[in-house]
Amino acid sequence: MNESTQTVPAELRSWSTHWPQYQPVDVTPAELQPAALATAVPGWAEAAATPADVHDWDERRRCALVPFELDARGWPLHPRGRTGSTGRNLGRWGENSAADPIVVAGNGRSRVVLLITRGDIGVEAIPGGMVDPGETAPQALVRELREETGVDLAGHHPIILGRDIVDDWRQTDHAWVSSTSALFQLPVEVTAVAADDAVGAGWWPFGSLNQLDIAIGAAGRTLYAAHRPLLQRAVDYLNQLK
């Protein structure tokens, strides 16, 4: 899995930087190509073949977790600039809102964090996912956690840690993921069983991000790079509570 921004030099990522030679790669999968959408629309995706077919950009921009602009054509532009990819490999054009519940048990060096093994890319990650239409981020946090691990924290009140762009492997210049990350604190571990998009679920040492890296590496696994900033923010918050 390659991070798409690696194909774009840092000094050329900004949309305000003139780069007439820029030729992003179209990563739209077969099921989201215009001809396919005209026949059948996947349940997880909108029917718009291009951003020009979307007619509620004012509302989408108003509700966005991270502000974004439109180009001269009226197409959404990734808030962090060029990605090296174009087209759409996500459910919606523009921002795709996600929820990432960070579940931690215990304290200090004995802390552990609940992660899943993602079925799509085979790495250890926060058990999150996309916010459904009509759903709030807090509702999505609880639902995604329950669907992917069997852990039901509906009675808990999470601490919202941030609302950020996630460097998702599917992002393009015109479609990206913004996530609400939240911390759930438990006194002890609870049973977690992988389901839905997860092929594994378990608790990992979480006294620090470095401790987590070492444990995951020792198990021959890899931590999802896009979730590292979210997990580090959780560590920083927990350390302030000492």
Side-chain angles (χ1 to χ4, degrees):
M1 179 184 64
N2 293 320
E3 307 241 354
S4 61
T5 51
Q6 290 180 341
T7 64
V8 179
E11 66 274 14
L12 294 175
R13 287 180 190 164
S14 172
W15 294 111
S16 63
T17 301
H18 186 58
W19 188 11
Q21 297 81 19
Y22 181 53
Q23 294 183 321
V25 177
D26 192 328
V27 297
T28 307
E31 62 267 32
L32 295 182
Q33 294 289 346
L37 289 174
T39 301
V41 180
W44 50 270
E46 65 180 352
T50 76
D53 300 312
V54 175
H55 304 294
D56 63 344
W57 284 120
D58 287 345
E59 177 65 11
R60 294 194 188 195
R61 294 178 68 194
R62 185 184 68 80
C63 297
L65 295 180
V66 179
F68 66 92
E69 301 296 329
L70 304 178
D71 66 14
R73 299 172 295 176
W75 289 30
L77 293 174
H78 194 299
R80 290 186 178 171
R82 299 179 176 98
T83 66
S85 300
T86 192
R88 173 169 64 113
N89 194 13
L90 290 161
R92 288 162 58 92
W93 292 102
E95 181 179 272
N96 289 257
S97 180
D100 287 305
I102 302 172
V103 184
V104 175
N107 297 288
R109 294 292 297 177
S110 65
R111 284 194 309 248
V112 289
V113 64
L114 179 59
L115 299 179
I116 62 164
T117 304
R118 287 180 54 150
D120 56 353
I121 50 179
V123 297
E124 306 308 301
I126 299 167
M130 297 301 175
V131 177
D132 287 340
E135 187 178 44
T136 66
Q139 290 170 337
L141 288 164
V142 171
R143 176 185 56 76
E144 283 290 341
L145 181 63
R146 183 176 59 247
E147 289 178 353
E148 297 195 340
T149 69
V151 175
D152 191 344
L153 298 183
H156 292 69
H157 299 286
I159 298 166
I160 303 300
L161 297 177
R163 296 175 176 87
D164 311 276
I165 297 289
V166 176
D167 199 11
D168 191 277
W169 64 279
R170 297 162 293 183
Q171 70 182 346
T172 71
D173 289 352
H174 307 297
W176 59 90
V177 177
S178 296
S179 172
T180 298
S181 58
L183 175 66
F184 289 86
Q185 292 179 269
L186 303 178
V188 296
E189 297 177 25
V190 295
T191 301
V193 179
D196 195 33
D197 296 333
V199 295
W203 295 91
W204 296 86
F206 196 53
S208 67
L209 194 60
N210 183 59
Q211 184 186 31
L212 178 62
D213 278 331
I214 292 172
I216 289 177
R221 310 296 299 172
T222 302
L223 179 62
Y224 184 33
H227 284 172
R228 292 180 64 84
L230 308 184
L231 291 165
Q232 183 62 62
R233 180 178 291 164
V235 169
D236 293 342
Y237 176 85
L238 290 166
N239 287 343
Q240 290 175 1
L241 300 180
K242 294 180 179 180

